[in-house]
């Protein structure tokens, strides 16, 4: 496949440090940026930031307008080296988009990638690696039209168009953020079936921040607001190898970066509190995070999960983030020394924290209570107790011939029908696999339903995170144990075992109609068919 050369790093963004304390600049840099963090100058990388601005004469109070230029770019990853990969605006990650409830998010996508290789095989195999679209992961917004519509395709020029010198195609995404949208941390990434894993493993991801009530809590407002976007990248010979077989990732180690740098260093004063927006922009690897050092650990005081604020901080020494999860945490500097944000499965630290400098006296305070992001549901809200839905993640090894032999299925109460119902279902080419022409779940607005999601994998390391688009769900039980309190999610990890993990959640379908999907967020599995079609309908 041909590669385009590097693109200009100039962006239409204004690059604003995460703490919002340094002067804005018209250049968006792919490398570390010097920021002032509560008096400590630190070269900690932060993505460029695009914030909302008033729109004169518009019905919306303000808008975020940003161009996302996608093409192969030559990028130097500090701590790793040079690579050529698909990016947003030549950076890993892409720009951070900061919006408020009631804003309009208007994105112009330029597809500067080479023409796609022709594909005439099965739908549930990797294909069209140079087409993409946009998913605003976790956000409660319209899933149809030109909004958060993952069934669109932003195709590159054809070979004939490129040879004739046709202009690179442009596509527009317009997302109206509800006025009452929960304030919190979300993210965006491409989501075209067949190309998702390869693109995200090359660095196509960015953070969305919805600002709101929780940001005005005095103890949170006083804390430096820092994006910590963990990207999982896979490079071989300086590029992402083409996704050509089911064993594609075997032997290609993952490189983990925070804001595009391998193990950057963040400075924190003793007694200082920082707000870290942790984003697991990973395709294959779930994270179990801990902040450790020779002087002990630093506690992460979690204030939100998947964009939804808790009623109060929850102290954690270990924090689990499955692929696609986010968590907002408050971290206070303790004894001076070197600490590391580590994951148990990653040999090197994700980032280093240097606690040093003049202590903050008295130490900055933590909030006691917070404005909860969403009210809870309970079983009494269920509209039809007989309409429970079951999802079962199931893999049939060696089901097919060719480079992709394994069948990654979603079974349960609404599985895609078999092509040959009377035959061997373990070898069936359709059973439980994604079919864009078949609707697995018809979900009526205003109803509350209970779902049970489980995996029948027996290997604990095999993970199948469940992600539902458009509506967040309230996790009430894990492996039969009731959670007290329950926790809002848009993605929940399930590991294999004997038995594998099982979760139960409640969900209310609200506000938006349209076709979208539910799927496994281990993105290799999603591209190979572990996905279902969902349609939200009016009563």
């Amino acid at each position: 496949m041909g590669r385009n050369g590097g693109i200009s790093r100039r962006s239409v963004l204004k690059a604003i440090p995460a703490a919002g304390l340094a002067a804005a600049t018209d250049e968006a840099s792919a490398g570390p940026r010097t920021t002032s963090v509560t008096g400590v100058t630190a070269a900690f990388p932060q993505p460029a930031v695009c914030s909302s601005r008033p729109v004169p004469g518009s019905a919306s109070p303000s808008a975020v307008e940003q161009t996302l230029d996608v093409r192969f770019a030559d990028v130097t990853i500090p701590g790793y080296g040079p690579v050529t990969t698909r990016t947003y605006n030549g950076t890993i990650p892409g720009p951070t988009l900061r919006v408020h409830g009631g804003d309009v998010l208007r994105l112009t996508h330029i597809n500067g990638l080479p023409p796609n290789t022709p594909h005439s095989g099965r739908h549930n195999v990797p294909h069209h690696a140079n087409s993409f679209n946009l998913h605003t992961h976790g956000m409660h917004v319209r899933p149809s039209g030109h909004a958060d519509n993952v069934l669109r395709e932003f195709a590159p020029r054809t070979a004939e168009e490129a040879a004739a010198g046709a202009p690179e195609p442009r596509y527009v995404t317009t997302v109206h953020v509800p006025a009452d949208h929960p304030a919190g941390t979300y993210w965006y990434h491409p989501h075209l079936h067949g190309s998702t894993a390869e693109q995200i493993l090359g660095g196509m991801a960015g953070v969305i921040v919805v600002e709101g009530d929780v940001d005005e809590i005095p103890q949170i407002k006083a804390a430096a607001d820092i994006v910590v976007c963990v990207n999982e990248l896979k490079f071989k010979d300086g590029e992402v190898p083409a996704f050509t077989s089911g064993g594609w990732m075997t032997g290609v180690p993952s490189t983990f970066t925070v804001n595009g740098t391998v193990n950057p260093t963040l400075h924190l004063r003793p007694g200082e509190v920082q707000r870290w927006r942790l984003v697991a922009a990973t395709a294959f690897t779930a994270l179990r995070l801990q902040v450790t050092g020779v002087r002990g650990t630093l506690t992460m005081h979690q204030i939100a999960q998947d964009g939804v604020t808790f009623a109060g901080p929850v102290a954690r020494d270990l924090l689990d983030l499955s692929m696609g999860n986010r968590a907002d945490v408050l971290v206070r500097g303790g004894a001076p020394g070197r600490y590391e944000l580590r994951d148990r499965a990653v040999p090197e630290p994700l980032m280093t924290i240097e606690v040093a400098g003049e202590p903050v006296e008295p130490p900055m305070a933590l909030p006691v209570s917070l404005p909860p992001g969403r009210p809870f549901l309970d079983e009494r809200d269920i509209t039809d107790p007989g309409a429970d839905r079951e999802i079962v993640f199931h893999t049939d090894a060696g089901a097919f011939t060719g480079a992709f032999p394994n069948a990654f299925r979603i079974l349960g109460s609404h599985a895609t029908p078999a092509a040959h119902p009377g035959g061997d279902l373990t070898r069936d080419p359709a059973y439980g696999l994604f079919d864009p022409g078949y609707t697995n779940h018809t979900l009526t607005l205003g109803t509350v339903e209970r779902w049970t999601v489980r995996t029948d994998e027996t290997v604990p390391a095999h993970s199948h995170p469940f992600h539902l688009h458009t509506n967040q769900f309230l996790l009430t039980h894990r492996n039969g144990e009731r959670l007290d309190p329950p926790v809002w999610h848009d993605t929940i990890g399930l590991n294999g075992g004997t038995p594998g993990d099982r979760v139960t959640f409640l969900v209310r379908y609200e506000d938006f109609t349209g076709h979208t999907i539910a799927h496994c967020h281990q993105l290799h599995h999603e591209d190979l068919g572990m996905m279902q079609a969902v349609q939200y309908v009016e009563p």
Side-chain angles (χ1 to χ4, degrees):
M1 181 182 299
R3 296 288 194 262
N4 284 4
I7 66 170
S8 169
R9 300 302 195 265
R10 183 169 182 85
S11 170
V12 297
L13 309 179
K14 285 193 173 181
I16 304 175
L21 301 176
T25 174
D26 288 330
E27 296 295 326
S29 170
R33 181 177 297 108
T34 299
T35 66
S36 176
V37 181
T38 54
V40 177
T41 299
F44 184 72
Q46 286 287 271
V49 176
C50 184
S51 298
S52 58
R53 298 178 179 178
V55 180
S58 171
S60 300
S62 56
V64 173
E65 296 186 335
Q66 174 62 46
T67 296
L68 295 177
D69 188 306
V70 177
R71 64 187 68 240
F72 283 103
D74 299 324
V75 178
T76 296
I77 298 174
Y80 180 84
V83 297
T84 301
T85 185
R86 302 173 185 87
T87 65
Y88 294 119
N89 297 355
T91 67
I92 300 173
T96 295
L97 309 173
R98 299 187 75 100
V99 302
H100 296 83
D103 283 354
V104 174
L105 178 60
R106 187 173 296 112
L107 304 173
T108 299
H109 312 268
I110 301 174
N111 191 334
L113 295 169
N116 279 312
T117 301
H119 174 76
S120 59
R122 291 188 287 129
H123 181 72
N124 290 311
V125 297
H127 60 285
H128 288 176
N130 291 328
S131 290
F132 57 92
N133 55 31
L134 188 88
H135 176 40
T136 54
H137 185 122
M139 293 190 71
H140 179 60
V141 296
R142 189 163 62 102
S144 56
H146 287 183
D148 182 35
N149 186 347
V150 299
L151 303 180
R152 298 174 72 192
E153 179 179 356
F154 303 164
R157 294 178 295 182
T158 65
E160 293 76 16
E161 290 169 338
E168 295 170 341
R170 292 173 175 248
Y171 304 87
V172 175
T173 295
T174 303
V175 174
H176 294 265
V177 182
D180 60 350
H181 195 288
T185 305
Y186 304 87
W187 67 301
Y188 62 91
H189 60 82
H191 208 308
L192 184 68
H193 183 57
S195 63
T196 307
E198 185 172 332
Q199 292 170 0
I200 291 182
L201 287 165
M204 285 183 66
V207 178
I208 302 174
V209 174
V210 180
E211 299 178 335
D213 52 3
V214 66
D215 306 304
E216 299 304 315
I217 300 299
Q219 298 90 342
I220 295 177
K221 193 171 185 178
D225 187 343
I226 298 173
V227 167
V228 180
C229 183
V230 181
N231 287 88
E232 179 180 18
L233 311 172
K234 282 190 179 287
F235 297 121
K236 184 176 182 180
D237 300 326
E239 62 183 16
V240 181
F243 205 161
T244 56
S245 72
W248 169 83
M249 66 177 178
T250 304
V252 181
S254 294
T255 297
F256 293 88
T257 62
V258 168
N259 300 335
T261 298
V262 174
N263 189 20
T265 298
L266 176 67
H267 290 267
L268 177 66
R269 293 167 59 189
E272 177 195 2
V273 173
Q274 295 178 354
R275 178 189 191 172
W276 298 353
R277 297 181 183 269
L278 298 167
V279 180
T282 59
F284 295 157
T285 304
L287 303 174
R288 169 160 274 197
L289 300 178
Q290 186 177 30
V291 185
T292 63
V294 295
R295 306 293 295 272
T297 63
L298 296 180
T299 300
M300 294 174 284
H301 301 272
Q302 188 176 1
I303 61 172
Q305 173 71 42
D306 286 356
V308 179
T309 307
F310 293 169
V314 178
R316 302 195 191 281
D317 291 328
L318 288 171
L319 178 63
D320 289 312
L321 294 181
S322 196
M323 300 76 109
N325 280 149
R326 290 89 56 219
D328 285 28
V329 299
L330 301 176
V331 178
R332 182 160 53 197
R338 181 185 181 93
Y339 299 81
E340 295 174 340
L341 178 67
R342 300 198 69 104
D343 171 69
R344 60 182 178 177
V346 178
E348 301 299 325
L350 297 174
M351 73 179 190
T352 295
I353 302 95
E354 291 283 357
V355 178
E358 189 69 22
V360 177
E361 295 290 353
M364 293 173 65
L366 298 170
V368 175
S369 61
L370 301 166
R374 291 179 63 92
F376 289 152
L377 303 169
D378 66 35
E379 282 77 3
R380 292 171 294 182
D381 297 315
I382 296 173
T383 310
D384 181 0
D388 285 9
R389 297 176 188 270
E390 183 187 39
I391 294 285
V392 181
F393 289 119
H394 174 82
T395 304
D396 285 320
F400 309 126
T401 59
F404 299 94
N406 298 335
F408 292 93
R409 309 185 193 274
I410 296 182
L411 306 181
S413 54
H414 295 80
T416 303
H420 310 292
D424 182 358
L425 295 183
T426 67
R427 301 294 181 264
D428 194 272
Y431 181 50
L433 298 174
F434 177 59
D435 179 351
Y438 181 82
T439 299
N440 299 89
H441 302 276
T442 300
L443 309 176
T444 303
L445 296 192
T447 61
V448 175
E449 292 187 333
R450 176 169 48 208
W451 294 48
T452 297
V453 183
R454 64 182 177 89
T455 174
D456 62 11
E457 296 279 7
T458 58
V459 179
H462 290 178
S463 178
H464 295 299
F466 173 81
H467 176 44
L468 176 66
H469 286 214
T470 309
N471 289 282
Q472 290 159 323
F473 51 84
L474 184 68
L475 186 68
T476 61
H477 295 76
R478 177 178 277 279
N479 296 327
E481 298 291 329
R482 179 176 288 274
L483 277 64
D484 186 17
V487 180
W488 287 101
H489 286 262
D490 55 61
T491 307
I492 185 70
L494 296 101
N495 294 322
T498 50
D501 282 343
R502 173 194 295 264
V503 298
T504 301
F505 61 77
L506 304 176
V507 55
R508 174 180 280 127
Y509 316 122
E510 298 180 290
D511 300 324
F512 303 109
T513 60
H515 283 87
T516 189
I517 52 176
H519 63 97
C520 174
H521 217 276
Q522 208 278 29
L523 295 174
H524 171 70
H525 301 164
E526 182 269 310
D527 278 335
L528 296 179
M530 199 169 255
M531 187 160 74
Q532 293 187 325
V534 168
Q535 183 176 15
Y536 294 109
V537 299
E538 294 282 0

